[in-house]
Amino acid sequence: MAALGIKDIAALANVSPATVSRVFSAPEMVSKKTLEKVQKVIDESGYRPNRIGASLRTRKSGNIVAIIPDITNPVNAGIIRAIEQKAHTAGYSVLLGDTQGLHEREQHYADLVTHGQADGVLLFCSSIPFKTDPTLNLAQQLPPMVNGNEKIDSDEVVQVAVDNVAAAKRAVKHLIDLGHKYIAAVTGPDDIASSNERLEGYRSALEDANIPLDSGLCIQGEYDVESGMKCAGQLLLLRQRPTAIFCFSDDMAIGVMKFVQKQGFSVPEDISVMGFDDINYAQLVSPALTTVHQPLEEIGGLCIELLLKQLKGEYVEPGRRFLPFELKVRGSTGPAPT
Amino acid sequence: MAALGIKDIAALANVSPATVSRVFSAPEMVSKKTLEKVQKVIDESGYRPNRIGASLRTRKSGNIVAIIPDITNPVNAGIIRAIEQKAHTAGYSVLLGDTQGLHEREQHYADLVTHGQADGVLLFCSSIPFKTDPTLNLAQQLPPMVNGNEKIDSDEVVQVAVDNVAAAKRAVKHLIDLGHKYIAAVTGPDDIASSNERLEGYRSALEDANIPLDSGLCIQGEYDVESGMKCAGQLLLLRQRPTAIFCFSDDMAIGVMKFVQKQGFSVPEDISVMGFDDINYAQLVSPALTTVHQPLEEIGGLCIELLLKQLKGEYVEPGRRFLPFELKVRGSTGPAPT
DNA sequence: TAGTTAAATGAAAACGTTTTACATGTTAAT
DNA sequence: ATTAACATGTAAAACGTTTTCATTTAACTA
């Protein structure tokens, strides 16, 4: 069953390939009569137009590639789902580029667009995986692209995220308001921009409250549950133990909560724990996790929207766009022990 | 900066396009001298071969499409990650088809292969989204495909999953061994094969123990946390309340646990709760969830392996392949109250 | 050296569409 | 009846590769 092509259909229907093509892409410019005739042949033959052929001609693949560190992370999964839905209704398919944090992989997936396999990039990491000529205008060297959830150090790329410094600041303020003075931070890897921004917010909140910054209270984690546990272990060893721990991800927060509870402390009576992200499971652990809500659906949605706009050829103002976060106060934070 | 093609490179290097092509795909059959010459031109010009052009000629897109109900479900996310990794090292990119359980979407994504945009399908749902002629041999009408984690009613398709009936049976036996007699089941949607298989395992375990089947104890959920809560609500209303609840997903189990706890029951003293899947968070709720472990990595890995084999043209024996499950006994199950 | 074989290269067709430029047929206006 | 204008349709080029087959070049053999 050698798949038949547009020419075969044309022959069967006694029209030219051009007409068949128009039946799909511009039916209004073919007469009703021939339209029906061709349609009938198409239906009867089960003809499936080959999109590769079309892509070659139109120079559009109909794909976009989403580059994310780890699909297993609920934050990313939520964003990806939103993207996928909207891309689908816009007629695009999404290629999943799970990098596991490897730059080499970022490169690889970015290459999909330079190789014509994708028309645009959704980038959820903090560096531009394209070789660019620094003497030239950056924006002109980039394909349609939007950076989500992270920060790229350039005001020429369009970016959407939550205001991490404001959000972290708000979170820490919550702890300060509860009377905490020894507030630890469990950060993410230091090559991740969002983590550094959250750290800045943490510092800023302490500064506003005239609480001296104690670098011993800042521990670097890996954003996952295990590293949360590990960091909690380190924090509990401190001579002056923190009364509150602000974690830069819910997973880490859940990890520290588990660990401190296992050590016999109670949350929040002895130690308050705060997360960041508001993944589904944040409400389901005990006690429910106080955290900063990120609007995943909106983030993903805006990213893809802005990308689609670019793909349509519309101009999209570069720069950052902030989406609103929300402090979710639940059971894992409480007044500082006296 | 009109992207330059293989002909331009050929011209620049004073060779034919064929030679340039060979530099990439069969460097061993071009002499060292010309190889270097061409390579130099390629490097200097920053030439990126257009994969669409190549695809058209070779009739291979280099993509595979993974059709899943919901990427937000940790089970699916885990599987997809495994797939993505192996696909990547094999030179394939994966198109993500998140269907939200909609058949129409399954169709759409399956169409990607009939349209040449993907070379094979990984199908994580329980019906074949291709129109097939029932009078003809099924296997010959299907593209390279493997069905994962579900069950399709045909012995002509290659399938990989956990033995759901055995697994569910094992789970219920655990509860029976603890002395439970009133064991409820919170199932998934009844058009999902895996759920029906688990139900069968549940029945079989009861039968073996001579416990009469009480259909009032079987409630249909939606696999997610909310539906778990809802079902728990119904179960607690029963005149003869169950002492154990077996949920067909961890999410639902977490939901019922939350709910029964909120109603003042304690788990497992009053009611034992059992899940299925063993997602990460199963260990992190309180009490930790007893559940059936599914080897996500292995499932995804085997799926993609079998698909790659087919794509290489090798024959793959159709039929089901079972991967081992494992009962994880944790804190949410205990002896039946006396 | 001439003859033979093997290795390296090139010319051109093919993959399946879209689209431009043009041709034909039809209608409306004079 | 003649022409202009328009509606439909067509032929053919183009998109960027790969690959078959023929040809040239290089490398041996006798």
Side-chain angles (χ1 to χ4, degrees):
Chain A
M1 65 177 207
L4 56 189
I6 203 171
K7 286 187 213 160
D8 304 301
I9 302 302
L12 286 174
N14 255 312
V15 295
S16 76
T19 303
V20 178
S21 175
R22 282 195 276 257
V23 166
F24 288 106
S25 50
E28 73 279 3
M29 48 169 59
V30 32
S31 74
K32 198 159 218 161
K33 208 174 58 182
T34 47
L35 190 74
E36 279 169 4
K37 182 174 62 175
V38 174
Q39 195 63 57
K40 185 155 165 259
V41 174
I42 290 173
D43 292 343
E44 284 172 357
S45 64
Y47 165 62
R48 307 271 113 189
N50 180 318
R51 294 270 254 129
I52 297 288
S55 286
L56 181 57
R57 174 65 222 229
T58 61
R59 316 185 64 80
K60 301 252 151 271
S61 68
N63 297 330
I64 66 155
V65 51
I67 303 181
I68 53 162
D70 183 7
I71 190 62
T72 266
N73 180 326
V75 174
N76 293 326
I79 291 178
I80 289 293
R81 176 171 62 178
I83 288 170
E84 210 272 351
Q85 307 299 331
K86 289 210 179 188
H88 173 245
T89 75
Y92 281 89
S93 299
V94 2
L95 287 158
L96 185 65
D98 187 314
T99 64
Q100 297 298 307
L102 275 53
H103 285 283
E104 170 240 331
R105 294 268 188 101
E106 294 172 9
Q107 281 268 140
H108 171 85
Y109 284 111
D111 279 349
L112 291 183
V113 7
T114 71
H115 286 275
Q117 298 184 103
D119 304 331
V121 192
L122 257 19
L123 196 62
F124 295 92
C125 50
S126 37
S127 58
I128 298 184
F130 295 99
K131 326 148 224 347
T132 53
D133 183 339
T135 68
L136 268 45
N137 177 299
L138 178 63
Q140 302 197 339
Q141 298 177 70
L142 294 178
M145 167 175 125
V146 2
N147 173 247
N149 235 11
E150 276 297 337
K151 183 185 182 230
I152 284 184
D153 229 341
S154 158
D155 43 4
E156 299 189 56
V157 351
V158 3
Q159 313 193 30
V160 359
V162 134
D163 184 341
N164 281 295
V165 0
K169 190 167 176 176
R170 180 73 194 81
V172 175
K173 181 168 183 303
H174 166 70
L175 295 171
I176 292 172
D177 290 347
L178 286 168
H180 293 277
K181 297 210 151 35
Y182 304 99
I183 303 175
V186 179
T187 75
D190 62 5
D191 60 338
I192 293 191
S194 60
S195 172
N196 292 327
E197 291 192 315
R198 289 172 198 173
L199 190 56
E200 194 187 325
Y202 163 81
R203 286 206 188 104
S204 168
L206 293 186
E207 195 179 321
D208 283 6
N210 283 313
I211 299 177
L213 182 70
D214 177 353
S215 65
L217 286 174
C218 294
I219 312 208
Q220 182 174 325
E222 304 273 338
Y223 272 147
D224 59 13
V225 177
E226 287 73 32
S227 79
M229 296 188 177
K230 225 177 66 190
C231 293
Q234 291 179 246
L235 287 171
L236 292 185
L237 290 176
L238 259 34
R239 195 167 61 95
Q240 173 66 64
R241 268 202 278 262
T243 62
I245 305 179
F246 172 37
C247 304
F248 289 10
S249 81
D250 281 353
D251 273 354
M252 292 194 297
I254 291 173
V256 334
M257 221 161 70
K258 270 295 150 198
F259 188 89
V260 302
Q261 286 173 333
K262 202 182 68 187
Q263 295 305 308
F265 296 87
S266 70
V267 177
E269 289 74 12
D270 300 321
I271 299 183
S272 285
V273 176
M274 171 141 216
F276 199 111
D277 287 341
D278 194 25
I279 62 176
N280 277 338
Y281 300 96
Q283 320 181 36
L284 300 169
V285 291
S286 308
L289 191 64
T290 296
T291 190
V292 176
H293 177 79
Q294 295 210 64
L296 302 186
E297 182 110 15
E298 285 77 5
I299 292 175
L302 185 53
C303 283
I304 181 70
E305 249 168 54
L306 293 175
L307 184 62
L308 289 172
K309 219 169 232 176
Q310 292 181 58
L311 291 174
K312 273 190 272 185
E314 295 178 32
Y315 173 74
V316 173
E317 187 79 32
R320 302 189 83 182
R321 283 156 176 79
F322 287 134
L323 257 25
F325 58 86
E326 193 183 340
L327 183 69
K328 296 274 188 183
V329 178
R330 296 200 268 251
S332 70
T333 51
T338 50
Chain B
M1 63 176 209
L4 55 188
I6 202 172
K7 286 187 212 158
D8 304 301
I9 302 302
L12 286 174
N14 253 312
V15 296
S16 77
T19 304
V20 178
S21 175
R22 281 192 277 254
V23 166
F24 289 105
S25 49
E28 73 279 4
M29 47 169 60
V30 29
S31 75
K32 198 159 217 162
K33 207 174 57 179
T34 46
L35 190 74
E36 279 170 3
K37 183 173 61 174
V38 174
Q39 195 63 58
K40 186 155 163 259
V41 174
I42 289 173
D43 292 343
E44 285 173 356
S45 63
Y47 165 63
R48 309 269 111 192
N50 180 318
R51 295 268 254 130
I52 298 288
S55 286
L56 181 58
R57 173 66 222 231
T58 61
R59 316 186 63 81
K60 301 253 151 270
S61 67
N63 297 330
I64 66 153
V65 50
I67 304 182
I68 52 161
D70 183 7
I71 189 61
T72 266
N73 181 327
V75 175
N76 293 326
I79 291 178
I80 289 293
R81 178 170 61 177
I83 288 171
E84 210 271 353
Q85 308 298 331
K86 289 211 179 186
H88 173 246
T89 75
Y92 281 89
S93 298
V94 0
L95 286 158
L96 184 66
D98 186 315
T99 65
Q100 298 297 308
L102 275 52
H103 285 283
E104 169 240 331
R105 294 269 188 101
E106 293 172 10
Q107 281 270 138
H108 170 86
Y109 284 111
D111 279 349
L112 291 182
V113 7
T114 71
H115 286 276
Q117 298 183 103
D119 304 331
V121 192
L122 258 19
L123 195 62
F124 295 91
C125 50
S126 37
S127 59
I128 297 184
F130 296 99
K131 324 146 224 354
T132 53
D133 183 340
T135 67
L136 268 44
N137 177 298
L138 178 63
Q140 303 196 339
Q141 300 177 70
L142 293 178
M145 166 175 125
V146 3
N147 173 247
N149 234 9
E150 277 296 338
K151 182 184 182 234
I152 284 184
D153 229 341
S154 158
D155 44 3
E156 299 190 55
V157 350
V158 3
Q159 312 191 33
V160 0
V162 135
D163 184 341
N164 281 294
V165 0
K169 190 167 177 176
R170 180 71 194 82
V172 174
K173 181 167 183 303
H174 165 71
L175 295 171
I176 292 172
D177 289 348
L178 286 167
H180 294 275
K181 297 210 150 34
Y182 303 100
I183 302 175
V186 179
T187 76
D190 62 5
D191 60 338
I192 293 192
S194 59
S195 172
N196 292 327
E197 290 192 315
R198 289 172 198 172
L199 190 57
E200 193 187 324
Y202 164 81
R203 286 206 188 102
S204 168
L206 293 185
E207 195 178 320
D208 283 7
N210 283 311
I211 298 177
L213 183 69
D214 177 350
S215 66
L217 285 175
C218 293
I219 313 208
Q220 181 172 327
E222 304 274 337
Y223 271 147
D224 58 14
V225 177
E226 287 71 33
S227 80
M229 297 190 178
K230 225 176 67 189
C231 293
Q234 292 178 243
L235 288 171
L236 292 184
L237 291 175
L238 259 33
R239 196 167 62 93
Q240 172 66 63
R241 269 202 277 261
T243 61
I245 305 178
F246 172 37
C247 304
F248 289 9
S249 80
D250 282 353
D251 273 354
M252 292 195 296
I254 291 173
V256 334
M257 220 161 71
K258 271 296 151 198
F259 189 90
V260 300
Q261 286 172 333
K262 204 183 66 187
Q263 295 304 308
F265 297 87
S266 70
V267 177
E269 288 75 11
D270 300 321
I271 299 183
S272 284
V273 176
M274 172 140 214
F276 200 111
D277 286 342
D278 194 24
I279 63 176
N280 277 337
Y281 299 97
Q283 319 182 37
L284 300 169
V285 292
S286 308
L289 191 65
T290 296
T291 190
V292 176
H293 178 79
Q294 296 211 64
L296 303 186
E297 182 110 17
E298 285 78 5
I299 292 176
L302 184 54
C303 283
I304 180 70
E305 248 169 54
L306 293 175
L307 184 63
L308 289 172
K309 220 170 230 175
Q310 292 182 58
L311 290 174
K312 271 190 273 185
E314 296 176 33
Y315 174 74
V316 173
E317 187 79 34
R320 301 189 84 182
R321 283 156 176 79
F322 287 135
L323 257 24
F325 59 87
E326 192 184 340
L327 183 68
K328 295 276 188 182
V329 178
R330 295 200 268 250
S332 70
T333 52
T338 50

